[in-house]
Amino acid sequence: MAARQSLQRRQKSINTTFESSIDSTAVEEKLFGQAEEEDGDDDGPVVFICGKCKLPVGDSLSWDGSEDCQNQIRLKRVTDNVVVGEDSRLHEASKRSLCLIVDLFCRGCSSVLGMVYASTPKNLDHKRFAFCLNVADIDSYVLGSASQMLAAEGPKEQPVTLEYRGIVEQQLTEMKMLVMSMAQRLEEIDAGLQEECDVA
Ligand SMILES: [Zn+2]
């Protein structure tokens, strides 16, 4: 009889478990982990955009190289959204390497995006004829990395979003734990009955 009551209590706790809301941080961790995994696989062409107003300024199809020490990338071609300044100024690329450079501006928001070398010493000649964009002033978009989708059609169909999947997985885990604890309880009851039989 006591065992039966305990099972009924358990039954009640099953119901409350399924009604309780899911811990949102657990779902978020799941989402973050998966998002990071997907990032590693992305290797498509990249569109470079103005870091401030997001206008496209170029893409990786005209890639010319990168200057890691100066935190710049070089592109052979840029879009019309990049405005080449009119005034040139002196720039010390490195010790004893004075260059004449012209600033590059964004047509949309007028912020400085990078520079072109108007005149360089011989060892830096490869930098002429290329647009040098400051990594800090631009953003990028990887082709094919769009992830937003419209909800699936149909009145009752629920779209299988990552969040929804996370909730379902969480509920499955909770169900497994409940089944296991119930099985354990049954074993205990079984053992108890066995003992009673043995005594009798
Ligand atoms: Zn801009």
Side-chain angles (χ1 to χ4, degrees):
M1 191 61 193
R4 203 194 175 88
Q5 273 173 351
S6 151
L7 267 179
Q8 278 172 343
R9 239 181 290 137
R10 226 161 255 280
Q11 199 74 40
K12 259 184 196 161
S13 85
I14 290 175
N15 290 338
T16 50
T17 306
F18 282 108
E19 275 160 19
S20 71
S21 63
I22 306 299
D23 184 11
S24 66
T25 54
V27 176
E28 256 170 37
E29 267 172 33
K30 216 163 252 194
L31 287 174
F32 258 94
Q34 256 151 10
E36 265 169 19
E37 274 171 35
E38 278 167 11
D39 272 3
D41 297 332
D42 281 333
D43 217 356
V46 176
V47 176
F48 300 106
I49 58 181
C50 168
K52 210 170 170 187
C53 72
K54 313 299 179 194
L55 271 182
V57 296
D59 59 69
S60 59
L61 296 184
S62 43
W63 184 260
D64 191 46
S66 65
E67 306 290 329
D68 289 336
C69 53
Q70 281 183 285
N71 218 9
Q72 284 181 336
I73 59 163
R74 289 200 315 269
L75 298 182
K76 288 177 205 143
R77 296 180 300 273
V78 294
T79 69
D80 288 342
N81 295 324
V82 176
V83 180
V84 181
E86 283 169 7
D87 304 322
S88 56
R89 61 186 172 88
L90 279 175
H91 172 77
E92 196 172 7
S94 60
K95 270 181 190 166
R96 280 185 283 164
S97 292
L98 270 183
C99 308
L100 214 50
I101 60 146
V102 179
D103 286 318
L104 297 174
F105 300 96
C106 169
R107 194 179 294 279
C109 65
S110 301
S111 58
V112 176
L113 295 174
M115 57 174 86
V116 283
Y117 289 84
S119 171
T120 55
K122 260 213 148 32
N123 62 324
L124 294 177
D125 266 358
H126 64 283
K127 289 190 177 184
R128 311 259 299 272
F129 316 112
F131 297 88
C132 301
L133 300 173
N134 303 329
V135 171
D137 295 318
I138 56 171
D139 242 328
S140 61
Y141 170 73
V142 179
L143 255 63
S145 68
S147 59
Q148 187 173 205
M149 283 174 78
L150 287 175
E153 278 179 53
K156 276 181 186 171
E157 229 172 296
Q158 181 153 14
V160 185
T161 59
L162 278 180
E163 192 178 6
Y164 177 64
R165 213 174 80 183
I167 291 170
V168 170
E169 274 171 17
Q170 176 101 13
Q171 285 182 343
L172 277 174
T173 309
E174 280 172 13
M175 265 167 89
K176 264 187 215 162
M177 279 161 64
L178 274 165
V179 168
M180 273 161 70
S181 72
M182 279 171 82
Q184 198 181 355
R185 183 69 190 136
L186 275 174
E187 253 173 56
E188 283 167 22
I189 294 165
D190 219 25
L193 284 174
Q194 203 76 45
E195 257 173 53
E196 273 175 40
C197 287
D198 288 350
V199 170

